[in-house]
Every structure is written in structure tokens, then in C-alpha cells.
Amino acid sequence: MTEFWEASFIEKQMMWGLEPSDSAFMAKDFFLEKKVKDVLIPGFGYGRNAKIFSDNGMYVTGIEISKTAIDLARKNGVTATIYHGSVTNMPFDNKRYDAIFCYALIHLLNRREREKLIQDCYNQLKPDGYMMFTAVTKKAPMYGKGRELSKDRFEIMEGVKMFYYDSNSVRREFEKYGLIEFSEIDEPNKNMKDKLAMNFVIITCKKGAI
């Protein structure tokens, strides 16, 4: 996966533009309401979703697999601490965070890696901390396309393997980690207006809410 994302950022640079996702706006409002001070972002990219948190007084730390994406973030003035590496190798520090925001990443992992990511994120939360994941659902336009790898998981192109969530798989994977709510959102492709919106689920968990 490292090679795929490094090549993608080298070729396409800031492929999603600079405007934060709608999910990031929702997370920002939620975190402000909960008086969150520091946020961990696994799958940092070039930081388009990070600025909205730092602009609202939160300290941001990121994890990013692509060195090129980190370089792009620095060129865009992002000063957050960013660990270079795969989320599958978490943790990168022993810090506990008020909140974690993980956008459009978990569905790229296999089941064992997803379980580890959720556990690792949960472990890095302070007591009563929150974690929010956005993940693609079975309502996405490309669901069922490509080579089927396992139930609801497909290789949609070389190097990209996607797991598609529904309510059952959300509950199965997150319930024991303080799942408090989940809801669907159609995320527009803000940088390519002609592309279809992607159906995501926003999953919110609270440490200690089991």
C-alpha cells in the first residue's frame, strides 16, 4: 500500500483539493462541543482535514504513510507533528488524545488490520475520549466491482482493496469499543464536481461507553 499511495501523491499531488471533507466539519463541531484539545489523525494525507481542527484551537498530530504527502502538507504550512509510517504500525507515541479522527482509511485494510487499528486508536484515547471513523458503505457506486476477495471486500484496482461497511459490520467491529452512534453521509468530491458522491458512514465511539 505504501507504493500505491506514494505514487498517487507524486502523480496527483493534492488530488482532493484543500477544502476539508464534510465529515471533518462535522467532527470539528462535535469536538468543539466536547472541549477537545488534541486530536490524532491516522491517515493524515497532505493535511486538508487537519487545518479545520488546528484553526479551531486544537493541537493536531498525524500519521501518514506517504513521504510526498507529508512534504505537501509542509508546503501548505501545516506545522502539526506528523509521524511517517503505516497505521498498521501504531502506536508511534505513548500519548493519550482527547479525540481521534480517521477519514476514509479503515476500509482500505483487511479484517485483522482493521481490528488492530480500532484497538490501537482506542488505546490512545484518554478516559472519556472520542474517536470518529468515516468508512465507505455498500451504497457506494463501486460496491461489488473488481475482484472479490472476501465478503464485502473487493480489489477495485491494482493496489486498492476496499471493504464496504453496513450496519451489521459497523456493530460487529465497533460495539466493544464504546460505539455510541453511526450515521450515513454522502461525501461530495469537492475537487472533481463531475464525480459521484461517495456514501460513507460516520462512526463515533467514546472510551468507557461500554
Side-chain angles (χ1 to χ4, degrees), residues 14-202:
M14 292 177 287
M15 60 188 100
W16 300 293
L18 288 172
E19 189 178 350
S21 65
D22 287 359
S23 299
F25 280 103
M26 293 174 67
K28 177 264 297 180
D29 290 342
F30 181 77
F31 291 166
L32 285 174
E33 178 192 327
K34 302 300 180 183
K35 297 181 170 52
V36 164
K37 297 299 181 192
D38 52 8
V39 182
L40 176 65
I41 303 180
F44 191 84
Y46 51 83
R48 76 175 179 118
N49 285 326
K51 197 168 183 295
I52 195 170
F53 300 115
S54 55
D55 284 352
N56 282 276
M58 297 173 229
Y59 183 82
V60 175
T61 301
I63 301 168
E64 175 51 46
I65 200 169
S66 166
K67 180 67 167 60
T68 297
I70 295 172
D71 291 343
L72 288 169
R74 298 301 184 212
K75 287 176 185 173
N76 286 326
V78 174
T79 57
T81 299
I82 309 172
Y83 296 106
H84 179 215
S86 170
V87 299
T88 59
N89 295 323
M90 286 176 68
F92 287 85
D93 60 25
N94 57 8
K95 185 176 175 180
R96 298 293 181 266
Y97 294 86
D98 295 322
I100 293 171
F101 179 67
C102 186
Y103 178 80
L105 181 148
I106 192 167
H107 52 250
L108 298 171
L109 306 177
N110 64 35
R111 183 164 186 168
R112 180 183 54 80
E113 291 167 338
R114 295 196 305 274
E115 288 173 355
K116 183 179 184 299
L117 175 62
I118 298 166
Q119 179 72 67
D120 289 342
C121 287
Y122 191 80
N123 289 346
Q124 287 207 254
L125 285 178
K126 293 176 185 174
D128 296 322
Y130 293 89
M131 57 184 186
M132 294 181 72
F133 292 81
T134 66
V136 72
T137 79
K138 290 162 72 170
K139 294 180 182 177
M142 68 282 198
Y143 172 68
K145 295 178 181 172
R147 182 168 66 94
E148 186 171 9
L149 302 169
S150 57
K151 180 175 166 54
D152 297 329
R153 189 164 184 255
F154 297 83
E155 185 170 26
I156 60 170
M157 64 178 77
E158 189 174 349
V160 181
K161 298 167 183 177
M162 199 94 81
F163 177 76
Y164 299 85
Y165 278 88
D166 59 17
S167 58
N168 290 330
S169 50
V170 168
R171 290 190 184 95
R172 183 178 67 241
E173 294 192 4
F174 290 90
E175 211 150 45
K176 63 182 177 181
Y177 296 102
L179 177 66
I180 55 175
E181 65 180 5
F182 59 94
S183 59
E184 292 182 21
I185 180 173
D186 286 325
E187 280 279 10
N189 193 319
K190 297 181 178 182
N191 207 38
M192 290 174 272
K193 306 292 187 186
D194 56 327
K195 282 207 168 186
L196 292 171
M198 190 76 72
N199 188 263
F200 278 71
V201 58
I202 304 177

